Amino acid sequence: CSYNKINHVYACENHESLNVSLKTRMGFKGWVMSDWGATHSTVESVNAGLDQEMPSNTWFNEQALGVALKDGTITQDAIDDKVLRILTAMFTAGLFDRNNTGSLAANVTSDAHNRLARTIAGAAAVLLKNGGVLPLPRTVTKIALIGDNAVKPVVHGIGSGQVAPPYIVTPLQGIALKVPQASIIYVASSDIAGAVRAAQAADVAIMVTGIVSGEGVDRHNLSLPEQDDKVFAAVAAAQKNTVAVVFNPGAVLLPWADATNAIVSMFMPGQEAGNAMADVLFGDTNPSGRLPLTLPNIENEVQFTQAQYPGTPEVLPVNAEYSEKLEIGYRWYHTHGVTPHFCFGHGLSYTSFAYSGLSVTKTTDPENPVLVSFTVTNNGTVAGSEVAQVYLTYPDTAGEPPSQLRGFEKLALAAGASQPVTIAVGARGVSVWDAGTHAWAAQTGTFTVGIGASSCDIRAIAQITL
């Protein structure tokens, strides 16, 4: 449970969210741990459903719990339930089946794990744009490599979840290993004139940028480093064969995108960043990642107000109003008819895919009332993976944002191969939350079902009445 209050009640003391919604309605069998220092009481937190205080025992200590048990403000059953939840999870994870003889300082890296890190980073790469320059030929002889991140890449975020990698393969190292015969000229972000000269003399210019984010270091805006934006714009104007690689912790602005031939977003690629990047750029890995968010055209394109985020007043206590309701991310864009820079679910491939045979049927299964069936065909010349997505628009009477994601499936297809797909839309997928009854309410009427490659790339549409 978090630091903030929910409807004026601390999250770790919120009976409605912990006991009712999480443990009862959702059937959660695990245990609830406080964020570090987010516990503010003993009795209220125990009774609301908090199971473990972290990182200390300021409130959940033997004396405080003993007094509360003695005066009857908490029960032994409540304590037993918390212990049962914690021990059940520990037994499930096998912690009591073997002695812990390890050490926090132990290096558990293996060659197999390193290979897996490389595979995952490459498969997760999102090809945002490709004007034809990718994949690069192995015969390339002159490469201009631009940007500080080419030699000192941002490959992970920071904060309590940070893991220090045993090594980092830089983009410069990855490309040099991939095409050892090529002449690679590296130019730092600060040298715009040198970057332009190197790009003009090269067969291709590869520009690498990135920005860090993490716990306690939120970004002030969605921009990449200003100097990178400047040098990228200059290089893209000087060399038609430009490729931009972005290491991004979330949504970013790409003001030079229109002038750039190809763009690859790798998010936080980890220790094998350089090798995975080279695998994608030279075609050993066919990118199959898809955007899990929307990349906007401008800062605050969704027009959040101060009252919505970060809240008002500007001094504590701050109150944030969720007046946007469900109009966040791609739902805002659909509702307001705005086309983003790059859409939710978007991601290109070195091959192409076709959708056919859409069929939407109503079932008698109350858990999965709708089945969406269709066929995906790889109509290109190389193997690749497509992420087929299903979007649903409710009847107008539901008051929901249009075209909401209701399912997806990743398909690995050889060149020329086809595969039938059936994606079930669950009962929750055709329901809305009724705040009055605190329950999901199934909607009736005519629903529109769309299938496609992103929230903006719908290939076929059908309707069904429930």
Side-chain angles (χ1 to χ4, degrees):
C1 47
S2 59
Y3 297 108
N4 57 287
K5 292 182 177 180
I6 305 171
N7 294 333
H8 309 291
V9 178
Y10 279 116
C12 293
E13 298 175 359
N14 199 297
H15 168 76
E16 185 67 31
S17 63
L18 299 183
N19 279 335
V20 178
S21 294
L22 180 65
K23 293 182 176 180
T24 302
R25 292 198 183 102
M26 298 182 188
F28 179 66
K29 301 301 182 184
W31 86 87
V32 177
M33 177 193 297
S34 76
D35 206 336
W36 268 226
T39 308
H40 297 275
S41 63
T42 301
V43 173
E44 291 85 349
S45 298
V46 168
N47 291 333
L50 176 64
D51 300 309
Q52 182 181 23
E53 176 190 3
M54 289 297 286
S56 61
N57 62 344
T58 302
W59 301 98
F60 278 29
N61 57 68
E62 183 177 0
Q63 180 180 2
L65 293 172
V67 169
L69 280 168
K70 187 174 181 179
D71 65 22
T73 51
I74 66 173
T75 66
Q76 186 63 50
D77 286 345
I79 299 298
D80 291 346
D81 177 71
K82 299 176 191 307
V83 174
L84 179 63
R85 287 174 176 273
I86 294 171
L87 290 180
T88 298
M90 295 173 73
F91 273 106
T92 301
L95 298 184
F96 294 99
D97 298 332
R98 59 187 182 276
N99 290 329
N100 181 6
T101 58
S103 165
L104 290 176
N107 185 350
V108 297
T109 299
S110 67
D111 290 340
H113 286 170
N114 295 339
R115 289 192 297 271
L116 180 61
R118 179 173 181 168
T119 298
I120 292 173
V126 182
L127 182 58
L128 295 177
K129 177 183 179 181
N130 189 13
V133 69
L134 294 181
L136 297 172
R138 292 290 190 93
T139 55
V140 64
T141 58
K142 295 180 180 179
I143 299 173
L145 187 58
I146 314 298
D148 295 347
N149 268 264
V151 294
K152 193 175 181 181
V154 176
V155 300
H156 59 74
I158 58 178
S160 55
Q162 175 182 343
V163 176
Y167 64 85
I168 295 175
V169 180
T170 70
L172 176 57
Q173 292 169 332
I175 293 173
L177 289 170
K178 183 68 68 175
V179 284
Q181 83 289 346
S183 172
I184 304 172
I185 304 300
Y186 164 70
V187 184
S189 301
S190 58
D191 187 359
I192 295 180
V196 169
R197 287 194 299 270
Q200 290 173 331
D203 301 317
V204 61
I206 300 173
M207 311 181 296
V208 188
T209 184
I211 194 164
V212 72
S213 181
E215 186 177 19
V217 285
D218 290 342
R219 292 178 290 160
H220 297 295
N221 52 53
L222 299 183
S223 294
L224 291 162
E226 182 180 4
Q227 188 62 30
D228 282 358
D229 282 343
K230 290 179 179 179
V231 71
F232 278 27
V235 169
Q239 168 61 268
K240 65 178 182 179
N241 293 326
T242 55
V243 179
V245 179
V246 185
F247 299 151
N248 51 305
V252 289
L253 299 178
L254 307 172
W256 32 261
D258 290 347
T260 305
N261 191 291
I263 306 172
V264 178
S265 167
M266 297 194 69
F267 287 89
M268 298 283 96
Q271 64 191 45
E272 286 284 338
N275 284 332
M277 187 188 95
D279 289 342
V280 170
L281 297 188
F282 287 89
D284 292 328
T285 296
N286 193 343
S288 58
R290 299 296 182 266
L291 283 180
L293 43 74
T294 302
L295 296 189
N297 299 290
I298 58 174
E299 194 76 39
N300 194 22
E301 192 163 37
V302 299
Q303 300 174 25
F304 266 174
T305 65
Q306 177 76 22
Q308 291 171 320
Y309 181 82
T312 55
E314 295 185 0
V315 295
L316 294 176
V318 176
N319 189 61
E321 298 287 343
Y322 290 88
S323 56
E324 71 276 10
K325 298 182 179 179
L326 293 180
E327 291 182 16
I328 56 174
Y330 73 93
R331 296 177 181 87
W332 182 91
Y333 285 87
H334 287 168
T335 300
H336 295 272
V338 177
T339 301
H341 203 168
F342 293 101
C343 297
F344 172 81
H346 170 71
L348 302 176
S349 170
Y350 294 147
T351 186
S352 57
F353 301 93
Y355 292 67
S356 61
L358 173 60
S359 172
V360 182
T361 56
K362 182 167 59 174
T363 77
T364 57
D365 180 1
E367 298 298 319
N368 295 294
V370 177
L371 293 180
V372 182
S373 301
F374 52 96
T375 298
V376 178
T377 301
N378 180 348
N379 54 14
T381 58
V382 297
S385 294
E386 173 71 325
V387 180
Q389 302 162 42
V390 173
Y391 291 85
L392 184 75
T393 297
Y394 284 74
D396 291 341
T397 52
E400 289 282 293
S403 196
Q404 299 185 49
L405 181 69
R406 284 297 178 262
F408 61 90
E409 186 168 335
K410 188 170 187 176
L411 311 167
L413 297 172
S418 297
Q419 183 172 330
V421 184
T422 296
I423 296 176
V425 178
R428 286 266 294 271
V430 294
S431 301
V432 300
W433 180 255
D434 188 320
T437 62
H438 292 280
W440 291 97
Q443 301 299 289
T444 58
T446 300
F447 293 77
T448 300
V449 177
I451 59 170
S454 81
S455 61
C456 301
D457 185 7
I458 301 300
R459 306 292 182 88
I461 292 175
Q463 291 187 324
I464 187 170
T465 300
L466 300 178

